[in-house]
């Protein structure tokens, strides 16, 4: 339970960090807004032409009598839109992070410098193209894992009582885990921590991860909320990544954006929370 609370505190600390660094917050909003516009356009197109697509894909039903033809194709249209909406929720973070790689990389580095005792941040030394390739490849692997879980939970959802109580809770926990992995990857990739090692780190501290990712996943169900929380989520995940790796971190807010001591003058290191 202690780790659960610590994970949620990292989420709050990340939001507080971007609130104190307005310029970084403004830059961090850009990728989310771009992704939101793209996804909104895709969903609107699906709503407008989904029925036509279903009709094209089911020519065998053209001769069905009323009302069965309308009910059948109407049901498939609703399912198609629901699947599109589910896919947009699952992939929103991955696509936003991919589009915003340079933005979030810069933000994460500044968080590292702000809380590092010596004011430095790890650097990957990779070109932007290589970073985008690695990020895209790993994000695809995570999305595939998340979709497999989504299919499994969808099937389990038909089990009476458990499908309406336990399964949704498990679903939010799974979403929180993969969401946290995507966000923490920004900081961990700069430290050359590969996907398999990242997953092992997160599994070793699952309650910490759930405390961070599960409430964030619930908030991310609202697309506009996801856009405005994303910069703080990256900042919080960077702070949590330092904890996972056992890196020394100065008190949150002790240093300014340029590494100078803050108003309270506190620069005493604190041990990572466990």
């Amino acid at each position: 339970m202690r780790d659960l609370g610590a994970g949620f505190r990292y989420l709050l600390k990340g939001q507080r960090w971007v609130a104190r660094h307005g310029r970084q917050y403004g830059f961090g909003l850009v990728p989310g807004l771009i992704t939101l516009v793209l996804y909104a356009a895709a969903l609107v197109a699906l709503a407008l032409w989904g029925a036509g697509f279903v009709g094209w894909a089911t020519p065998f039903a053209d001769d069905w009598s009323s009302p069965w033809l309308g009910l059948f194709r109407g049901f498939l249209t609703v399912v198609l839109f629901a699947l599109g909406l589910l896919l947009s929720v699952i992939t929103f973070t991955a696509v936003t992070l991919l589009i915003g790689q340079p933005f979030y990389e810069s933000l994460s580095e500044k968080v590292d410098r702000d809380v590092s005792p010596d004011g430095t941040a790890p650097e990957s030394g990779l070109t932007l193209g290589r970073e985008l390739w690695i990020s895209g490849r790993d994000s695809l692997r995570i999305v595939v894992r998340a979709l497999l879980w989504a299919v499994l939970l969808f099937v389990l959802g038909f089990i009476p009582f458990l499908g309406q109580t336990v399964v949704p809770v498990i679903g939010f926990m799974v979403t929180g885990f993969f969401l946290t992995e995507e966000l923490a990857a920004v900081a961990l990739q700069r430290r050359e921590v590969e996907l398999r090692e990242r997953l092992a780190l997160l599994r070793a501290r699952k309650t910490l991860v759930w405390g961070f990712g599960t409430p964030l996943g619930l908030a991310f169900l609202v697309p506009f909320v996801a856009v405005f929380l994303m910069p703080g989520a990256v900042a919080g995940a960077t702070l949590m990544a330092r904890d996972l790796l056992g890196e020394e971190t100065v008190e949150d807010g002790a240093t300014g954006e340029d590494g100078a001591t803050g108003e309270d003058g506190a620069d005493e290191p604190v041990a990572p929370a466990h």
Side-chain angles (χ1 to χ4, degrees):
M1 292 300 295
R2 182 182 177 184
D3 258 0
L4 201 65
F8 186 67
R9 285 194 295 274
Y10 280 125
L11 180 58
L12 296 180
K13 285 181 178 180
Q15 300 303 325
R16 287 201 300 266
W17 192 92
V18 295
R20 294 196 310 270
H21 299 75
R23 182 182 301 175
Q24 297 305 314
Y25 180 63
F27 284 136
L29 289 176
V30 174
L33 290 171
I34 293 173
T35 308
L36 180 63
V37 170
L38 293 175
Y39 273 50
L43 290 173
V44 167
L46 192 60
L48 291 176
W49 294 296
F53 174 79
V54 169
W56 171 82
T58 56
F60 57 86
D62 287 342
D63 298 328
W64 288 12
S65 61
S66 179
W68 305 115
L69 175 62
L71 289 174
F72 174 69
R73 286 180 171 170
F75 173 74
L76 289 182
T77 301
V78 171
V79 169
L80 179 65
F81 186 82
L83 287 174
L85 190 61
L86 175 63
L87 186 62
S88 68
V89 172
I90 291 175
T91 61
F92 183 87
T93 300
V95 173
T96 302
L97 289 173
L98 186 61
I99 292 175
Q101 179 73 19
F103 296 90
Y104 296 132
E105 191 78 19
S106 174
L107 189 153
S108 180
E109 284 186 19
K110 285 181 170 59
V111 172
D112 269 324
R113 292 194 183 96
D114 192 36
V115 300
S116 174
D118 58 3
T120 62
E123 296 181 4
S124 66
L126 300 176
T127 63
L128 177 60
R130 181 62 178 169
E131 287 181 349
L132 288 173
W133 163 252
I134 294 174
S135 178
R137 179 197 63 190
D138 291 350
S139 292
L140 181 60
R141 292 173 177 174
I142 291 298
V143 167
V144 169
R145 285 177 167 87
L147 287 175
L148 291 175
W149 270 99
V151 171
L152 174 62
L153 293 172
F154 176 77
V155 173
L156 294 177
F158 289 100
I159 300 176
F161 182 71
L162 291 179
Q164 293 74 49
T165 55
V166 177
V167 172
V169 173
I170 295 175
F172 283 121
M173 294 171 70
V174 170
T175 299
F177 181 89
F178 287 121
L179 179 60
T180 302
E181 194 287 327
E182 288 280 2
L183 293 165
V186 178
L188 293 174
Q189 282 177 359
R190 281 191 290 108
R191 292 162 167 83
E192 299 182 358
V193 181
E194 296 294 332
L195 177 60
R196 185 173 297 180
E197 298 173 78
R198 296 201 300 269
L199 291 173
L201 277 172
L202 296 175
R203 290 183 185 124
R205 302 282 300 279
K206 286 193 288 289
T207 51
L208 179 73
V209 171
W210 289 333
F212 181 92
T214 302
L216 188 63
L218 287 168
F220 273 25
L221 290 175
V222 184
F224 284 104
V225 173
V227 170
F228 291 105
L229 291 184
M230 183 67 82
V234 173
T238 300
L239 295 171
M240 191 176 66
R242 297 179 65 89
D243 181 346
L244 291 170
L245 296 173
E247 296 179 0
E248 192 175 35
T249 301
V250 298
E251 186 66 40
D252 184 35
T255 58
E257 190 171 356
D258 59 356
T261 303
E263 290 180 0
D264 58 1
D267 58 1
E268 181 180 351
V270 294
H274 291 286

